[in-house]
Amino acid sequence: MPLIPEEPQIHESAQGPRATTAAGRTAPTPRPVPGPRPAAPPRPGRPGPVRPAPPVQRAPHDTAVAKPGPSAPAAPTAPSTPQIQLIPASAEGALDAAEEAVDLLLDSGRVPGEVLVITTGEPHPWAAHELSFGEAAYWAQHDAGDDVFYADASALGQAASRPVVVVAVNGGPDATAATALPLALGRAGTLLIVCGNPQQINSVLGAGV
C-alpha cells in the first residue's frame, strides 16, 4: 500500500507567538526601551560637584575712622616720705651717737656724699676746722658732694638735699631743734636719723617717730 505522507505538525515555540507582518514574515519581539540612567555615585575620596554658594549681602558700614579722644592726664605721683629713725641719746651723747650712725651707714654701702649731718648745739669739729679757712672753701666742699658734710642747724637753708640726713640734737635752744627737725625732714631723700631726747623729738615730729 502506498504510504500517505503525514501532515506536518506545527509545534509552538517556547518563546511565545511572534507577530506576523503583512508580507507573511515573522517580526522579532521588540526590546524594552531603557529609561534615563541614574547618576553615578561619587568615587570614594573625591567629592562630588560643589555648587557655588550665593553671594552674601553685607550691610554697608561706615568707612569713617573714629578719632581717639584726648587722653586723661596722668595722676600726679605723691612725693615719697623719708623713713625716720630715732636714736635715744642725751644732749651730751647725741654727737657721738650721730658719728656711730654715720659709720654704720658707710659700712652698709652708703656713699659719703649721700650723708648730711646737722648739729643743733656746738658744731662738729670737722665743720669748725673747715670754717676756719673761710666760708667759700667750706661751702665748696658741700657743693662738691664727695664726702660727708657737717653743718650747723642755722645753715640748713643753704644745704642741699641728700639721701640721708643725720641730726644730732646736742643742745641749743628748744626752738632751734623745733625749727631744724622739720627742715631736716624736707632735706632727707630717703632716711632721716635723729639722735637726741625722744620726748623732745616726738613733740616736734609727731608720736609716730
Side-chain angles (χ1 to χ4, degrees):
M1 289 180 70
L3 297 176
I4 300 174
E6 294 179 2
E7 294 182 0
Q9 295 180 359
I10 301 174
H11 300 278
E12 293 183 357
S13 174
Q15 298 179 358
R18 296 183 179 182
T20 305
T21 61
R25 299 177 60 183
T26 302
T29 302
R31 296 180 180 179
V33 179
R37 298 178 62 184
R43 296 182 182 179
R46 299 183 60 183
V50 180
R51 295 182 180 179
V56 179
Q57 296 183 357
R58 299 182 179 179
H61 60 278
D62 190 2
T63 57
V65 179
K67 297 181 179 180
S71 58
T77 57
S80 58
T81 303
Q83 183 182 0
I84 302 175
Q85 292 183 4
L86 172 60
I87 300 178
S90 62
E92 294 77 13
L95 191 55
D96 291 337
E99 286 286 0
E100 292 180 3
V102 171
D103 291 340
L104 290 174
L105 290 169
L106 299 180
D107 292 341
S108 65
R110 280 285 180 182
V111 179
E114 295 181 347
V115 182
L116 172 66
V117 180
I118 301 298
T119 56
T120 61
E122 293 184 0
H124 190 275
W126 181 91
H129 178 264
E130 295 299 326
L131 281 170
S132 64
F133 297 100
E135 293 246 350
Y138 171 75
W139 286 105
Q141 297 188 54
H142 166 269
D143 297 338
D146 53 4
D147 202 353
V148 180
F149 191 78
Y150 297 85
D152 185 75
S154 61
L156 261 174
Q158 297 176 260
S161 299
R162 291 199 177 187
V164 182
V165 176
V166 181
V167 179
V169 185
N170 60 337
D174 291 344
T176 302
T179 304
L181 289 178
L183 289 176
L185 182 62
R187 293 292 188 272
T190 58
L191 179 61
L192 172 64
I193 301 175
V194 184
C195 305
N197 187 341
Q199 293 182 354
Q200 181 184 8
I201 296 169
N202 286 334
S203 66
V204 175
L205 294 179
V209 179

